[in-house]
Amino acid sequence: MKTFLITGATSGIGEACARHCLAQGDQVVALCRNGDKAHRLFAPELASGQMVLLEHDLACNDGLYKQCLSELKPFKIERFIHCAGVGLIKGMASTTHAELLQLYETHLFALSEIMRALVRLCQFKYELSAVALSSVASPAYLVQNAAYGLSKDSVDHYVRLLNKQLNAAPQKRLPPPAQALAAAEAIEDPEQRARAVAIAQAQAGLMLRINALAPGMVDTPLGDCDTYLEQELPLNVIPMEVIVHWIFEILETPYMSGQTVVLNNDWVY
Ligand SMILES: NC(=O)c1ccc[n+]([C@@H]2O[C@H](COP(=O)([O-])OP(=O)(O)OC[C@H]3O[C@@H](n4cnc5c(N)ncnc54)[C@H](OP(=O)(O)O)[C@@H]3O)[C@@H](O)[C@H]2O)c1
């Protein structure tokens, strides 16, 4: 049983991820802005304690770092999925400061404050793997939602930069796979054994990982297909189960960090 921290668990991709965790018996700490909505969606899980709420409006992240440090301290958060997000269908020239700020607060600043707290809490003593939702709007340079894409581009950069810092030192690694190590150590010939042990040790994955997933459209309130159809915008839809599958695949891959995985569904970019 692991404890997941999930933002945006009250709708769309975040909700689907939370339900996936709950179904596999994991605990979910849902960081959301609307406690009533969370109670309507997850009444039994909240009552049983399998889900716990942490309330914060991620449109303004003053105090989020300290709140996470104190309220997440009782939990051992090993997985983090940053799904909270806002859409904006607008060209760059007409995007206001307030709109840009909201996009950056929700997509990037919240991610940065939460990661800062999680890294401090885990102190490299246990595995921590995070996935942040990016978007193909960034690599595609979509003009219809340019500022949205810009904020997601910064998420991709953040993931690469944080990874570079976190994984600079070799000691921040997981233990090597026990079976491979035991098999290597059982080899009689000293030269062969040394070689096999070195290979087994080199199979140790990364203790701290952060990646991004940039999907094409997913039919949710944010990616609302009706709006795109009405405005004759390109529509490349990816099923929710595929998104959830990839989020968990990335989270559990010990050999990957600092990457953006793109599920573009033929979106040209
Ligand atoms: N859907 C797509 O086509 C698509 C494609 C690529 C990337 N993405 C990204 O995937 C992520 C999830 O999107 P989605 O489609 O699942 O969207 P969604 O269904 O609209 O869900 C967005 C979630 O973010 C939460 N949220 C928004 N602003 C918040 C704030 N200020 N404070 C706290 N929580 C806030 C919402 O909370 P409430 O329930 O309280 O509103 C909701 O739970 C987003 O980052 C989005 O950019 C989506």
Side-chain angles (χ1 to χ4, degrees), residues 66 100 109 152 216:
K66 282 192 177 161
L100 205 51
F109 302 162
K152 293 297 189 181

Side-chain angles (χ1 to χ4, degrees), residues 77-78 115 118-119 122 126-130 207-209:
I77 306 287
E78 292 176 276
M115 280 307 299
L118 291 180
V119 169
C122 99
Y126 53 84
E127 190 183 353
L128 170 64
S129 177
M207 175 87 99
L208 266 62
R209 310 186 292 278

Side-chain angles (χ1 to χ4, degrees), residues 8-229:
T10 47
S11 180
I13 300 170
E15 183 183 346
C17 288
R19 294 205 183 280
H20 181 86
C21 291
L22 295 166
Q24 61 184 24
D26 291 313
Q27 185 182 36
V28 174
V29 178
L31 196 165
C32 61
R33 61 177 165 186
N34 187 340
D36 290 343
K37 187 174 178 187
H39 275 279
R40 280 198 302 279
L41 289 169
F42 295 103
E45 294 84 357
L46 285 164
S48 73
Q50 197 189 356
M51 181 183 259
V52 178
L53 288 187
L54 196 161
E55 286 194 49
H56 191 102
D57 186 338
L58 299 176
C60 174
N61 295 302
D62 271 353
L64 179 62
Y65 170 68
K66 282 192 177 161
Q67 185 186 355
C68 286
L69 276 187
S70 67
E71 293 186 35
L72 294 177
K73 203 172 180 183
F75 303 95
K76 183 183 170 193
I77 306 287
E78 292 176 276
R79 300 289 182 268
F80 168 42
I81 309 172
H82 183 44
C83 281
V86 281
L88 183 70
I89 301 178
K90 230 178 189 192
M92 202 66 240
S94 49
T95 300
T96 66
H97 173 258
E99 287 165 337
L100 205 51
L101 191 61
Q102 190 194 16
L103 289 165
Y104 270 85
E105 285 282 1
T106 318
H107 299 155
L108 180 69
F109 302 162
L111 173 64
S112 167
E113 292 301 86
I114 295 168
M115 280 307 299
R116 221 152 62 83
L118 291 180
V119 169
R120 182 158 169 197
L121 287 170
C122 99
Q123 294 186 329
F124 300 97
K125 289 189 177 139
Y126 53 84
E127 190 183 353
L128 170 64
S129 177
V131 168
L133 267 294
S134 179
S135 168
V136 290
S138 151
Y141 288 97
L142 290 182
V143 288
Q144 298 95 339
N145 49 8
Y148 171 82
L150 184 64
S151 70
K152 293 297 189 181
D153 191 50
S154 69
V155 169
D156 297 335
H157 267 77
Y158 171 83
V159 157
R160 284 194 277 283
L161 289 168
L162 184 67
N163 168 62
K164 247 190 149 173
Q165 184 182 352
L166 293 181
N167 288 312
Q171 67 269 23
K172 292 159 195 165
R173 291 206 163 239
L174 293 166
Q179 237 181 333
L181 196 58
E185 281 167 347
I187 296 173
E188 274 188 28
D189 177 71
E191 221 170 281
Q192 295 274 336
R193 183 169 61 239
R195 181 184 178 279
V197 167
I199 291 173
Q201 281 170 342
Q203 286 174 19
L206 298 165
M207 175 87 99
L208 266 62
R209 310 186 292 278
I210 180 160
N211 293 287
L213 177 69
M217 287 192 71
V218 195
D219 194 15
T220 67
L222 187 152
D224 181 20
C225 289
D226 293 339
T227 313
Y228 278 71
L229 285 168

